[in-house]
Amino acid sequence: MSRARLPDAEHAGFETRAIHAGQPPDPATGAVVPPVSFATTFAQESVGEHHEYEYSRSGNPTRTALETCLASLEQAAHGVAFASGLAAEDAVLRLLRQGDHAIIPNDAYGGTYRLFDKVWLPAGLGYTPADLTSLDRIREVWQDRTRMVWIETPSNPLLSIIDIEAVAAFAHERGALVVVDNTFASPYLQQPLHWGADVVVHSSTKYLGGHSDVVGGFVATDDDEVATRIRFVQNAAGGVPGPMDCYLVLRGVKTLALRMDRHCTNAAAVAELLSGHPAVASVLYPGLPDHPGHQVARHQMTGYGGMVSFVLVGGEPAALEVARSSSLFTLAESLGAVESLIEHPHRMTHASAADSPLAVDPGLIRLSVGLETLRDLLADLTAALDGADTRLP
Ligand SMILES: *Cc1c(COP(=O)(O)O)cnc(C)c1O
């Protein structure tokens, strides 16, 4: 019964790995869903002699299942799970030392920016935000002490596309680590290690979990040294996910491929609708042929994702009106789950960056296009947009 269901794990397809990797049937009972392991401590044979587990901060069977499964989806040698995406990011930043410098995207996730600016900058870690879609910009801000380039692609909320392979080659020539926040794409649409990244981070709160009911984070890498350090920090700093949270993410990823396919087709239709509406000044979706990152996205992704941003002709008043009047698109932060969400980055997710170089256009709206019936989604948006002022503010 404990026979692994992945005789040739390396070659099993994505969906197969999402459903089976790390989760063979329970050897004791044959249960096809391995039991969630709530124990905090594990009986030892004799003093200092234990089985695989001793204490659940250091290791827990449900967490191991999750780490095995997610590492397999990123085709990574190592996976380490955390209590949130930001706990995962914080562990990655601990790879750096006081005096080191990092380059981050100029539209990084607001919480990533806050972590760099308010937690790590005071602790002696320098950083510079830059437009990472341009190697010239990266060259301009590069310092002797630059040790890390932090990529987010597609980025949040502008959905700009960074060429992972090009940036990784540039950074590696200069001895820096390349980290990719792969939250927006998910491993189904993009596998950054394949393009030369050293480390992948995820907020599993988003597409991996996929149901708006669990907060989690994840780090994947092929680098043994990086993995050892991240694993050490996981135990030493203790930002670990609980077993129930691990179970919920494991359950979520079983349908990741199906969900991402539908997120992509729904988002493409939404982007097309927005492109043709008079209240909309511009649409940011990497699947649109006129998106500046379209060619790179085509190359490094297998689909364009479920996130769509757009700017209203009527600026902030029109954006607030659309956010207020949509109904199926629920006004809320977060993204990547079955239900469609709408938000105003300037006042919501990116408020922590409002006075920084990372401030976003107040007329911008971000949509997380969910899995409801497409016709209902389009009708809801059309009604909300028809009520928006099409005049300049
Ligand atoms: C949500 C998010 C994070 C932070 O993850 P949490 O799970 O909320 O801590 C990091 N990066 C991106 C792109 C995100 O969307």
Side-chain angles (χ1 to χ4, degrees):
M1 270 188 294
S2 61
R3 188 160 37 94
R5 290 295 165 93
L6 286 174
D8 194 5
E10 303 251 310
H11 297 103
F14 187 92
E15 294 84 348
T16 305
R17 285 178 278 127
I19 294 167
H20 294 290
Q23 317 161 71
D26 179 30
T29 64
V32 295
V33 180
V36 180
S37 204
F38 288 105
T40 56
T41 189
F42 299 82
Q44 308 196 1
E45 292 290 301
S46 58
V47 175
E49 194 191 323
H50 49 80
H51 297 290
E52 209 178 331
Y53 300 98
E54 59 191 305
Y55 180 63
S56 270
R57 170 164 37 72
S58 316
N60 168 281
T62 311
R63 197 169 86 213
T64 302
L66 176 65
E67 292 175 337
T68 307
C69 183
L70 295 185
S72 165
L73 297 187
E74 285 288 358
Q75 310 221 50
H78 311 278
V80 190
F82 287 89
S84 69
L86 282 169
E89 294 190 16
D90 186 67
V92 170
L93 290 188
R94 286 167 198 269
L95 293 168
L96 298 177
R97 300 224 160 77
Q98 198 174 22
D100 286 352
H101 172 260
I103 298 173
I104 73 170
N106 58 3
D107 64 340
Y109 172 72
T112 299
Y113 163 73
R114 185 175 54 199
L115 181 64
F116 272 97
D117 194 66
K118 303 288 194 288
V119 177
W120 283 102
L121 182 65
L125 209 75
Y127 78 96
T128 308
D131 174 4
L132 304 190
T133 63
S134 154
L135 289 182
D136 288 339
R137 290 288 95 70
I138 301 176
R139 191 176 287 111
E140 275 168 30
V141 299
W142 199 274
Q143 303 183 3
D144 290 341
R145 58 197 188 104
T146 301
R147 295 281 175 272
M148 182 181 283
V149 179
W150 188 281
I151 294 176
E152 206 184 304
T153 184
S155 73
N156 179 19
L158 299 183
L159 300 164
S160 47
I161 301 293
I162 296 166
D163 186 333
I164 300 170
E165 198 172 20
V167 173
F170 185 93
H172 288 160
E173 264 172 38
R174 291 157 181 81
L177 272 181
V178 174
V179 180
V180 176
D181 182 337
N182 202 26
T183 301
F184 268 39
S186 90
Y188 182 65
L189 300 180
Q190 174 173 277
Q191 291 171 9
L193 299 180
H194 176 78
W195 301 111
D198 303 291
V199 182
V200 173
V201 297
H202 276 284
S203 167
S204 350
T205 315
K206 316 297 167 54
Y207 288 105
L208 296 177
H211 296 74
S212 298
D213 55 7
V214 59
V215 171
F218 184 68
V219 175
T221 184
D222 280 336
D223 185 315
D224 297 343
E225 245 176 79
V226 166
T228 301
R229 178 68 186 160
I230 299 282
R231 175 81 56 203
F232 177 82
V233 169
Q234 180 195 42
N235 182 48
V240 294
M244 196 61 202
D245 290 353
C246 293
Y247 168 73
L248 284 169
V249 178
L250 274 171
R251 180 176 161 130
V253 294
K254 288 180 185 179
T255 54
L256 182 64
L258 285 168
R259 287 188 285 107
M260 291 317 294
D261 281 339
R262 186 60 69 85
H263 281 299
C264 289
T265 49
N266 282 358
V270 162
E272 194 188 310
L273 172 98
L274 292 168
S275 300
H277 199 282
V280 176
S282 59
V283 182
L284 307 171
Y285 185 63
L288 294 174
D290 63 354
H291 185 284
H294 180 67
Q295 289 307 331
V296 176
R298 260 182 83 138
H299 177 64
Q300 71 187 16
M301 303 177 78
T302 54
Y304 304 105
M307 301 300 295
V308 181
S309 294
F310 60 101
V311 179
L312 276 300
V313 174
E316 182 164 31
L320 296 177
E321 178 57 24
V322 169
R324 195 190 56 76
S325 57
S326 67
S327 60
L328 192 50
F329 278 86
T330 304
L331 181 59
E333 297 194 2
S334 200
L335 61 109
V338 291
E339 61 281 313
S340 292
L341 303 177
I342 186 168
E343 70 115 0
H344 184 249
H346 182 71
R347 292 193 185 212
M348 294 172 64
T349 48
H350 288 63
S352 56
D355 306 318
S356 77
L358 287 79
V360 294
D361 188 330
L364 184 79
I365 286 288
R366 186 188 80 183
L367 301 176
S368 174
V369 181
L371 307 182
E372 297 91 342
T373 309
L374 180 58
R375 138 171 68 81
D376 297 338
L377 292 174
L378 298 180
D380 185 50
L381 273 182
T382 304
L385 287 168
D386 286 349
D389 206 330
T390 55
R391 289 165 307 179
L392 293 170

